[in-house]
Amino acid sequence: MLLALVGSCNSFISSTTFVASQSRRNASTSYLSMSAKDFPDLRVMVNGMPGPMATAAAEACLRRGIKLAPVAMTGPDVSPQTITVVDEDTGNSASVKLIPASREEELDWAVAGLKAGVGAFNLVAIDYTHPSAVNSNGEWYVSNAVPFVMGTTGGDREKLIDHCNDAGHFCVIAPNMGKQIVAMQKALEDLATQYPDSFGGYQLSVVESHQKTKADTSGTAKAVVQSLITLSGDDTFDVESDIEMIRNDEESIKFGVAEEHLKGHAFHTYTLRSPDKSVEFVLKHNVSGRRIYAEGTVDGVLYLAKKMKTEKVGKVYNMINVLEEGAM
Amino acid sequence: MLLALVGSCNSFISSTTFVASQSRRNASTSYLSMSAKDFPDLRVMVNGMPGPMATAAAEACLRRGIKLAPVAMTGPDVSPQTITVVDEDTGNSASVKLIPASREEELDWAVAGLKAGVGAFNLVAIDYTHPSAVNSNGEWYVSNAVPFVMGTTGGDREKLIDHCNDAGHFCVIAPNMGKQIVAMQKALEDLATQYPDSFGGYQLSVVESHQKTKADTSGTAKAVVQSLITLSGDDTFDVESDIEMIRNDEESIKFGVAEEHLKGHAFHTYTLRSPDKSVEFVLKHNVSGRRIYAEGTVDGVLYLAKKMKTEKVGKVYNMINVLEEGAM
């Protein structure tokens, strides 16, 4: 268990949130045109460092000029330590003291102190921790009135979402923070809904390559394939067995993966071919490393920071909401 | 000039159309689930043979079990002749007498005779003739109350469409009959409308290959690129000069075109790449030969045959309408 605290200062913070947000319902700019300067007092508590995804998210914050909170949560078995996060593109850096999740009281007071320093509405958490911590962390954020963007997968998702919605808590929860991937998935879903069978008779083939350590088939590939099956009417395609998986360095390199990304990549190629093979549609989305997810996470943070100014009561948002807001 | 006739039997046919169609407003099945057996008396007059696109459309009709009208229009300078159209997949064949467009009276009486034989509502024309004939042919179809599917490009499009709409004439007019291509274009347009800038900062590159005889840039590529520019916000991309065109056999083969399709193909590759090059989206649509357009044309014919049963007054439909109907 990581965290399940009820901070002693919660009731004070919650009532302040309510009053203050009423005077803030005037922002109308899209979060996409916003930058750190629109939220000069914002501090982001990036939980899950020194894990690679949390670290990438922290670097992405620095790259966009967003300040990190000087303390954050780390795994219960990680030694307390202070790390320096550096974004190599901009040279921006920050020191962050990592407090193990097992030291609950210390974390609780750290958050209270942060809020006292920057204002209760200027603290947002990013969560890339562990599937086993998803629900307890969600409860902790709600108890401590810390809005959060959670890219951690696993846990009891329904319980997590219900808990946050019931509390009117501001958060973005999404298993895939890659905004462009989510947009592409949505476009294919919409196409399949609008024009099912428009690729009737076309044959589908799918190849995906991931790092060798990933045992299961890509969840994104499965979701995309559902849309392609609706478009082609090819219901003989088995999502579980007909997606070709590459989990072999040599094959991955042949598939276009750079050697330095063998340990972290997500390459997908979908092909729809007409019965006589005279027509071929190919879609590829190839991701090397973690930056696309880290950038999408920061979009989530800015989206949330804006929502906290315009909405009176929070709720669970997802990446489609973040995308839609970008269009306003 | 090809044709600009006013048949002497028009007023009779038009009023019959109006009365008869009132008792037919009961069909509800999608045209996609329809086949020749739903329209046993349908005859398709394929105008523009022995040109390759008209011939491909005639073959596609036979492949779907749809009967050809035994007469059709050919170019004004082509010798009158009887040809045999054969679909190699099914072995279905038909003899068609080609009447030059210059023999106006003969064509006029042929159409009247066909209608007398199969019924005024069972004749639909397909038009793959010549840009210079677009408007005169449109007028001739309206005058002779022949619903039509026109894939011929060029001419005064606005005049053509207005004329047919004003007459309440049943027709499908589309510069690109490739249903799947149109669906894909629509999906990208919708994505760009819903989530502009969701690929903000991504760099766009486009390569297209066509037969050497095609001088201008692919119109489809230009349309798709407009959506991709909206998605990426990359307004430095110049639609006229930044699309890489391949018009060279050797290069086309390297691009994946089979040797037998060097004289007729449309290959397109669009790439969106993130600023740090860690993410790449690739979309390809590669068409060899004419079958996709021929098949879409037949979809248009069946769509029109259905509309003539369900709608009292005709109008100009396009391939998006045909796609939408497929979803019903």
Side-chain angles (χ1 to χ4, degrees):
Chain A
M1 196 199 69
L2 280 186
L3 277 174
L5 301 177
V6 180
S8 55
C9 48
N10 292 343
S11 54
F12 163 72
I13 289 172
S14 297
S15 60
T16 315
T17 306
F18 185 78
V19 175
S21 63
Q22 287 184 305
S23 63
R24 293 178 175 198
R25 301 170 60 86
N26 55 357
S28 66
T29 321
S30 154
Y31 78 91
L32 277 179
S33 57
M34 291 180 160
S35 64
K37 69 177 189 303
D38 296 296
F39 305 102
D41 297 320
L42 183 67
R43 294 294 181 281
V44 182
M45 180 189 206
V46 184
N47 297 328
M49 292 192 285
M53 193 57 235
T55 306
E59 289 167 4
C61 286
L62 295 175
R63 196 152 54 242
R64 300 266 277 268
I66 297 169
K67 295 195 184 75
L68 301 185
V71 292
M73 185 201 299
T74 187
D77 303 324
V78 178
S79 304
Q81 56 188 289
T82 296
I83 61 167
T84 303
V85 182
V86 182
D87 170 55
E88 293 191 358
D89 284 17
T90 56
N92 291 346
S93 69
S95 284
V96 182
K97 184 182 171 192
L98 303 183
I99 304 174
S102 44
R103 300 194 180 183
E104 305 179 349
E105 205 176 332
E106 197 175 331
L107 273 165
D108 209 24
W109 282 108
V111 163
L114 278 169
K115 288 186 172 186
V118 295
F121 324 107
N122 287 315
L123 184 67
V124 171
I126 286 174
D127 192 290
Y128 280 108
T129 56
H130 191 269
S132 65
V134 158
N135 290 95
S136 52
N137 282 9
E139 283 163 23
W140 185 75
Y141 295 129
V142 170
S143 301
N144 286 277
V146 179
F148 66 94
V149 177
M150 183 182 276
T152 316
T153 55
D156 184 334
R157 308 302 286 185
E158 196 182 329
K159 189 177 160 195
L160 170 71
I161 288 168
D162 286 351
H163 184 69
C164 294
N165 275 329
D166 290 349
H169 194 73
F170 286 94
C171 53
V172 174
I173 300 177
N176 187 336
M177 290 281 172
K179 194 174 66 169
Q180 294 81 8
I181 308 272
V182 172
M184 180 211 69
Q185 275 183 265
K186 180 68 167 30
L188 283 168
E189 266 175 46
D190 288 351
L191 185 66
T193 306
Q194 284 183 290
Y195 313 126
D197 286 325
S198 53
F199 289 71
Y202 276 54
Q203 274 205 318
L204 176 59
S205 61
V206 186
V207 187
E208 54 94 336
S209 171
H210 285 77
Q211 55 280 1
K212 284 184 292 189
T213 49
K214 182 174 169 62
D216 57 337
T217 304
S218 157
T220 308
K222 287 189 193 178
V224 168
V225 161
Q226 287 299 353
S227 298
L228 298 178
I229 287 174
T230 306
L231 284 167
S232 67
D234 182 5
D235 51 17
T236 65
F237 192 95
D238 187 322
V239 174
E240 294 304 327
S241 61
D242 289 341
I243 295 175
E244 188 185 333
M245 292 160 65
I246 299 175
R247 297 289 184 276
N248 170 303
D249 286 352
E250 205 178 309
E251 292 293 316
S252 293
I253 286 172
K254 272 192 208 158
F255 198 55
V257 180
E259 204 162 332
E260 68 263 36
H261 293 301
L262 286 171
K263 289 190 176 163
H265 68 275
F267 274 43
H268 302 75
T269 298
Y270 313 85
T271 306
L272 277 171
R273 203 173 274 122
S274 68
D276 71 342
K277 307 203 188 327
S278 71
V279 185
E280 192 177 76
F281 288 83
V282 179
L283 176 67
K284 297 186 187 202
H285 52 97
N286 295 340
V287 175
S288 300
R290 301 177 175 87
R291 194 182 271 210
I292 186 176
Y293 313 112
E295 299 287 352
T297 305
V298 179
D299 286 330
V301 167
L302 290 177
Y303 172 82
L304 217 49
K306 189 194 159 195
K307 280 287 167 195
M308 287 156 66
K309 292 193 178 196
T310 58
E311 305 297 319
K312 212 150 92 178
V313 180
K315 64 171 186 168
V316 177
Y317 301 98
N318 59 34
M319 283 311 278
I320 294 290
N321 299 128
V322 174
L323 278 162
E324 278 165 356
E325 182 81 7
M328 284 174 191
Chain B
M1 197 199 72
L2 280 185
L3 277 174
L5 301 177
V6 180
S8 53
C9 50
N10 293 341
S11 54
F12 164 71
I13 291 172
S14 296
S15 60
T16 315
T17 308
F18 185 79
V19 175
S21 62
Q22 287 184 305
S23 63
R24 294 176 173 201
R25 303 170 57 86
N26 55 358
S28 67
T29 322
S30 155
Y31 78 93
L32 277 180
S33 57
M34 291 180 161
S35 64
K37 69 176 191 301
D38 295 297
F39 305 101
D41 297 321
L42 184 66
R43 295 293 181 282
V44 182
M45 180 189 207
V46 185
N47 297 328
M49 293 192 286
M53 194 57 236
T55 305
E59 291 168 4
C61 286
L62 295 174
R63 196 153 54 241
R64 301 267 277 266
I66 297 168
K67 296 195 183 74
L68 301 186
V71 291
M73 184 203 299
T74 188
D77 303 325
V78 179
S79 305
Q81 57 189 289
T82 296
I83 61 167
T84 302
V85 182
V86 183
D87 170 54
E88 294 191 355
D89 284 18
T90 56
N92 292 345
S93 70
S95 284
V96 182
K97 184 182 171 193
L98 303 183
I99 304 174
S102 44
R103 300 195 181 184
E104 306 179 347
E105 207 177 329
E106 198 175 328
L107 272 166
D108 209 23
W109 283 107
V111 163
L114 278 170
K115 289 187 173 185
V118 294
F121 323 108
N122 287 314
L123 185 66
V124 171
I126 286 174
D127 192 292
Y128 279 108
T129 56
H130 191 269
S132 65
V134 158
N135 290 94
S136 53
N137 282 10
E139 284 163 21
W140 185 76
Y141 296 128
V142 170
S143 301
N144 285 278
V146 179
F148 66 93
V149 177
M150 183 180 277
T152 316
T153 55
D156 184 335
R157 311 299 288 183
E158 197 183 330
K159 191 178 160 194
L160 169 71
I161 287 168
D162 286 351
H163 184 68
C164 294
N165 274 330
D166 290 349
H169 193 74
F170 285 94
C171 54
V172 174
I173 300 177
N176 187 338
M177 290 281 173
K179 194 174 66 170
Q180 294 81 8
I181 308 272
V182 173
M184 179 211 69
Q185 274 183 266
K186 180 71 166 31
L188 284 169
E189 265 175 47
D190 288 350
L191 184 66
T193 305
Q194 285 184 290
Y195 313 129
D197 287 325
S198 53
F199 290 71
Y202 277 53
Q203 274 204 319
L204 176 59
S205 61
V206 185
V207 187
E208 55 94 337
S209 171
H210 285 76
Q211 55 280 2
K212 282 184 292 190
T213 49
K214 182 174 169 62
D216 57 337
T217 304
S218 157
T220 308
K222 286 189 195 176
V224 168
V225 161
Q226 287 299 354
S227 298
L228 298 180
I229 288 174
T230 305
L231 284 168
S232 66
D234 181 5
D235 52 16
T236 64
F237 193 94
D238 187 323
V239 173
E240 294 304 328
S241 61
D242 289 342
I243 296 175
E244 188 185 332
M245 292 161 66
I246 299 175
R247 297 291 184 274
N248 170 301
D249 286 352
E250 205 178 309
E251 292 293 316
S252 293
I253 286 172
K254 271 192 210 160
F255 198 55
V257 180
E259 203 162 333
E260 67 263 37
H261 293 300
L262 287 171
K263 287 188 179 164
H265 67 275
F267 275 44
H268 303 75
T269 298
Y270 314 85
T271 306
L272 277 171
R273 204 173 275 122
S274 68
D276 70 341
K277 306 201 188 332
S278 71
V279 185
E280 192 178 76
F281 288 83
V282 179
L283 175 67
K284 297 186 186 202
H285 53 96
N286 294 340
V287 175
S288 301
R290 301 177 174 87
R291 194 181 270 211
I292 186 175
Y293 313 112
E295 299 285 352
T297 305
V298 178
D299 286 330
V301 167
L302 290 176
Y303 172 82
L304 217 49
K306 189 195 158 194
K307 280 286 165 195
M308 287 156 65
K309 292 196 177 193
T310 57
E311 304 298 321
K312 212 151 91 177
V313 181
K315 63 172 187 169
V316 177
Y317 301 99
N318 60 34
M319 284 309 281
I320 293 290
N321 300 128
V322 174
L323 278 163
E324 278 165 356
E325 183 81 5
M328 284 175 190

